[in-house]
């Protein structure tokens, strides 16, 4: 009972389309080309299901031994999102530890995303959502990710 009394239950989350549109309306995106690319992509997506996702995969939270993952740490960011939101966030932060919060090299990001897309057998809608989430998280990550924003919005 002590544990349950401290457990916070999050409020219901809006559908990804609604949440994304709300974010876009309030986001400080000065580049009209980027905003137009996001709007165009948002218009092209359909409904997507959510599930509980980790939302903090990065090298500091993935323990390996002999080239195999043996543990995943840090579950405080778990939340209901589309699985591709977790993948997009991971593509942005997987190489980060606790310092030097820089993007993964494009080649590593490409290998990671290609492997995921092949393994998970993403449909066109999920691929479109993946790109949208990548763009959103890159914009939110700050100026060091501007090259990624430019690449994803072209």
């Amino acid at each position: 009972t002590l544990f349950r009394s401290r457990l916070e239950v999050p409020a219901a989350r809006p559908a990804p389309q609604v949440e994304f549109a709300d974010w876009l309306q309030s986001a400080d995106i000065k580049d009209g080309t980027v905003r137009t690319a996001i709007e165009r992509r948002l218009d092209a997506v359909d409904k997507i299901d959510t599930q509980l996702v980790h939302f903090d995969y990065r090298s500091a939270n993935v323990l390996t031994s002999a080239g195999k993952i043996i543990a995943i740490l840090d579950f405080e960011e778990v939340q209901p999102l589309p699985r591709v939101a977790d993948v997009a966030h991971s593509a942005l932060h997987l190489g980060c530890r606790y310092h030097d919060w820089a993007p993964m090299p494009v080649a590593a990001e490409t290998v990671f995303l290609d492997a995921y897309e092949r393994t998970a057998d993403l449909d066109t809608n999920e691929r479109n959502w993946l790109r949208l989430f990548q763009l959103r998280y890159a914009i939110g990550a700050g100026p060091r990710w501007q090259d990624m924003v430019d690449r994803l919005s072209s």
Side-chain angles (χ1 to χ4, degrees), residues 70-148:
I70 59 169
I72 304 294
L73 307 175
D74 195 2
F75 286 83
E76 65 190 42
E77 299 295 329
V78 168
Q79 54 192 296
L81 287 168
R83 66 181 177 157
V84 293
D86 203 22
V87 176
H89 194 265
S90 298
L92 193 68
H93 294 292
L94 194 59
C96 297
R97 289 193 181 265
Y98 295 106
H99 51 23
D100 191 29
W101 290 84
M104 279 199 301
V106 173
E109 175 195 343
T110 301
V111 168
F112 170 73
L113 291 173
D114 286 350
Y116 185 86
E117 288 184 35
R118 277 192 318 276
T119 303
D121 194 29
L122 298 182
D123 62 30
T124 301
N125 190 51
E126 288 175 309
R127 280 191 200 91
N128 289 335
W129 271 109
L130 175 60
R131 301 303 177 248
L132 267 170
F133 279 112
Q134 281 184 276
L135 196 45
R136 177 180 176 178
Y137 299 147
I139 289 167
R144 292 182 80 181
W145 276 266
Q146 188 59 47
D147 288 345
M148 181 182 280

Side-chain angles (χ1 to χ4, degrees), residues 38-68:
I38 295 169
E39 289 169 346
R40 188 182 69 244
R41 288 176 187 227
L42 194 53
D43 287 341
V45 294
D46 294 321
K47 182 180 178 211
I48 191 166
D49 292 330
T50 61
Q51 63 188 52
L52 286 180
V53 297
H54 185 272
F55 208 65
D56 197 15
Y57 286 113
R58 53 193 176 89
S59 60
N61 291 336
V62 180
L63 298 183
T64 60
S65 178
K68 295 186 181 200

Side-chain angles (χ1 to χ4, degrees), residues 4-15:
R4 286 186 187 185
S5 67
R6 293 183 182 199
L7 185 64
E8 293 180 30
V9 178
R13 194 174 194 134

